[in-house]
Amino acid sequence: MLSTLIRRELLDNLMTFRFIATVVIMLLLVVANTFVLINDYDRRLEGYNAAVNSNHERMQERTTYSSVSWDVVRSPNLLSIFNVGLDKRLSNEIFVHHGFVPTLWDGQVHGSTNPLLNLFSSIDIVFIFQVVLSLMALIFAYDALAGERERGTLRLVLTHPVSRAKILLAKYISAMMCLLVPLLMSFLLVVILLTTSPIVSLKVDDFLRIGGIVLSSIAYLSVFYLIGLLISVITRRTSTALMLAMFVWGFLVLVYPNVILVAITSAEPSQERLVPAFNQIEQIWEEFDRERKDYLANDPIPGEDPHLGVAGGSGFNEIWHKAQSTLLYTYFAVSYVNKLDDEFEPRVPHVQNYYRTIEPKTIDAAERAWLVRKQALESVFFRPAIVDRIFLRFSPVGMYDAATQAWAGTDLFGLRDFYEATRKYRRTLIDYLYDKNAFGDRKWFSSDKGAVDWNSLPQFSFQRSDVHVNAKRALPDLLLMLMMNLILFMVIFLVFQRSEV
Amino acid sequence: MIWHITKRELYDNLNSLRFALATVLLFVLMLINAVIHVQEHPERMQKYHDATTASVSALRSRTDLFSIAQEGPGNLYKKPSPLYFCAEGGDIFLPDYVYGISRLQIANNLRAFWSLYYPGAFPNVFNVRPDTVKVDWGFVIGYVLSLITILFTFDSISGERERGTLRLMLSNSVPRHTVLIGKFLGALVSISVPFTFAILMNLSVISVSSDVHLGADAWIRLIIIFIIAILYLCLFIALGLLVSSSVQNSVTSLVILLLTWCVFVIFIPSTFASIASGFSSPMAYDEYFKRRNQNIKELKEEYVALLQETRGLPNKKIQIDSEYLAKGTEQEERLSQEQLTQQIAQIQLARSVTRISPVTLFQHLLEVFVGTGFERHQQFLDNVQRYAREYREFVTDMDRADPDSRHIIGVREGMSQKPVNPESIPAFEDEISLSRDFNDAAIDLFLLLLFFVVLVSGTYLRFISVEV
Amino acid sequence: MLETRDLTKVYNENVLAVNKLNLKVEDGEIYVVLGANGAGKSTTISMFLNFIEPTSGTALVGDIEIPKFPLEAKKHLAYVSENVELYRNFTARQNLSFFAKLGGRKKVSNDELDETLGRVGLAEEAFTRRVKTFSKGMRQRLGIAIAIMKDAQAVLLDEPTSGLDPKGGADFLNLLRQLKEEGKAIFMSTHDIFRAKEIADRIGILVQGNLERELTREEIQRENLEELYLHYVAGYEPEEEANE
């Protein structure tokens, strides 16, 4: 019985112009954009490799331990082809140093050739689905019930011993089968294009992630189909249903996601809330500076000069970085003396002692400042971003976007993993320095007795999160979509059950 | 007779669900737009005002010609448009200032003169909030209104044909073009009425607010923008009628129109821009800095080598200083200009390619007349460059006017020592002119009209020969 | 056998469409209900088919209460509407096969479909034509083919002959007689007095929801049906039924 209904629906749908037209347009869009996106990925990958190499070269030129710092580079995420999220936007190069805990706000952008290109919005595969799939689902659904009712075929069907639930189910299943054709074909095409591209190599995990994106797309599609079906069941006439469906589409896809954010942005994070945190951080560093100066004052060789008057083939550098807007407040002492005059030789142990005492204090101060900074920055920058995303979820578009970003690893959490990894790398760097007893070493500030050998320096590597972490992050939104499906289906069922034909 | 048909169309539309929904949607969007502008604009103006005041007062605090010549005018700021609410134009991705400061140290006591340097804007590096499109008129008209237009016109002919009323109508002695014009006007009036009221509401909210002042120039621009919006609307009505008269049933018509809309309005602007921008790759920042460092290094080496020869010849040294300073300054400015030119060429190519989409044409036009976006940015850069010449001429003129000066620009001892009247130093004032805007808009306006004419004649030919 | 017991339908709490209707259609009998527009004929048929729920009372097919067991009841009911609407993109054969399967048939052979289509008088070339090219008469024939195919105990017809040409109408009545011979209970609504007289075993006159008069075969022959009908209907202005 069900299969009879489904077969009829399928035949009816597959033969229509709307089906063929949408499939063709969708595939064209997907293929064209995949080429563009792969090219773009290629360019970004080149930029990444260039940045890694140039950083490596720069590192090799450094001769003293105190200049140990590493510009860590984030590689472009391959799955940003599906949903670019924050992957292209946030900083992709960050400075790692023992006296400074890196955060999202301290990064830079490497390899950008033309910042003006941001004038053009970028498209990813999920965006195409967001727009076209939802439209397609509504076009399929709006007349599913209203049309049959208007033509009278629904009456004829209902004179047969068929339950209404079965009719609904048949409509749902067959429409989903039809709608899945372009969806799966698109994904298949994208994957084929990806695997045949020489620059891309997909791993098993990536296939699983793509599978997650497919799953989310199906749930999204189904939500829109059911919205259309709901409209179809509550309206008497197809023309009304069509109008309503189109306006609902325009609202959910086009208007709501843009308007809601603008409307709630008036509650901008006020920079004033950063002031107390900045004062606190300032205190931490001033305290550090006081200790430092105390140490110098108590040293048998008097003076406030941390280099104790030592001079040589250039130079000593002390830098304070401050930026209130991102609570940046750091202290670097970098020395790269390559020629030390003999007259200063007796003072060298004092300098060694000084750095041996001060550098751990720098690390400590940096970490204490980081605790304050983290909290303040998260409350000012992260919380509004999270609130935004909650509001976006009132439209299925928001849920879909969030779920696919999570699968692709281009969401906020995926990006935070990178900054987390840089902080971990900083710890490794510090361990390395302690290990080499570097702070008290002559090579800390001077290379006159030989440069540091960097070969044993641990390298930075960033592994993106496991698939199950992606899944865990995507799950809430996926569940939300499934729940929405269920609720919609139940409402449609109840309304249809009670409606007169 | 036309009016008779129009009236019937109007009556039909005004009573429909789509009319009610469209009206509500337009009013809500326009209200949000106005409220946000009223909130944000004073801040924006204040920021510009503070920045320019600081810049000018720094400029006016200098009295000797040498430091005026060396330090330069400071940062030069772009004046925000009072009509920002009409088109945001991606302004956050365009830097709103140009550096006009001295950045290059040639030798220990030889610092190059100021030069123009064009920074990039990276507003999103720290921004973790989701992307949005600004709800400006460009969005409301370009996207929402065009979609509404499609929903108003997709069945205007195919629907009547389905119901059989078209046969009935044409069985009277009415020429077909009259029917077509009547339908066209009917759709135009029924969409432009809520649209016009929404715009009037929007403008009254904005102009009533005491913090935002719209001058006469702004009102003229608003009228031009309104006319362009109506033209854009007509284009979509013509498209709707064309498809509607070409196909047998309304659903097919709607599907064709919606897909066309999606492709032209949503996808083509971004996809084509991405493709076109792949054709060229301007100088990257890494390369810029590499070349700059290389240049400086060569310059320094040359300078130091020459300096050895001038030991004990102070006059010769001054000559050489002046020469190298000019070289260094020129070299700095040439490099940043080169980078900028390449960047602009890339954007211009991408923008030309995307002109295939009417929504891009419309947005270009809107931006030009509003005074935001890329064209405006180029105007700003022209203004800056003109001002830079003026400023440098001012320095040479002042120096030439002083008979005591040795007329060796670039060295303190070689230049006029007379104090300069701070008021006489030219200050940068960013200006926009309507006539220049028309110049910039000409191509886009022409293409939009062309689109319209092609669609209208297509619709006419189609409808004349259609079987009912 | 079709039966109603005090069948009542009130629309919007105050519009009485059908009032305590009691009637019975035996197997092998054609019952015709006559009435003006809005008399409650379609509402009665809709209640037989459970398209709408009765306000009170019940309707039965055999001994199955329709409002209580609608799915079971529909196995024994076939329906032909005033204007048979079918899936327009499907051929006559596809439509018939689809509805046959809906009626519970597992497999239907093309021969059987063609035979039924032939029986209702459709030309062979029309079997594989899309329904959207069909005339009204052809669609009505296809509608009765669907009813025949279902082989249900009772057949409900809602003004099936309106708008048919004389030949079509006559053919249609012949088909009805054949169904009657097979022992089906046939319930037909119409306002065509002459066709009613020609075919009915019994006639009910429905006026504003009330069954005013029931005539047996003999009475139909004896009385002047036309006068009788006008007598009952006169004085009552035909009204649009609010919810039909």
Side-chain angles (χ1 to χ4, degrees), chain A residues 138 245-257, chain B residues 25 144 147:
Chain A
L138 287 179
M246 288 302 106
F247 273 95
V248 165
W249 179 79
F251 182 75
L252 288 180
V253 176
L254 198 62
V255 174
Y256 181 80
Chain B
L25 197 60
V144 180
L147 185 64

Side-chain angles (χ1 to χ4, degrees), chain A residues 89 105 114 142 261-262 388, chain B residues 36 126-127 129 131 251 346:
Chain A
R89 213 165 80 172
W105 293 272
N114 190 351
Y142 81 94
L261 290 191
V262 176
D388 282 354
Chain B
I36 287 168
F126 309 134
N127 180 12
R129 307 185 71 168
D131 276 325
V251 178
Q346 187 184 28

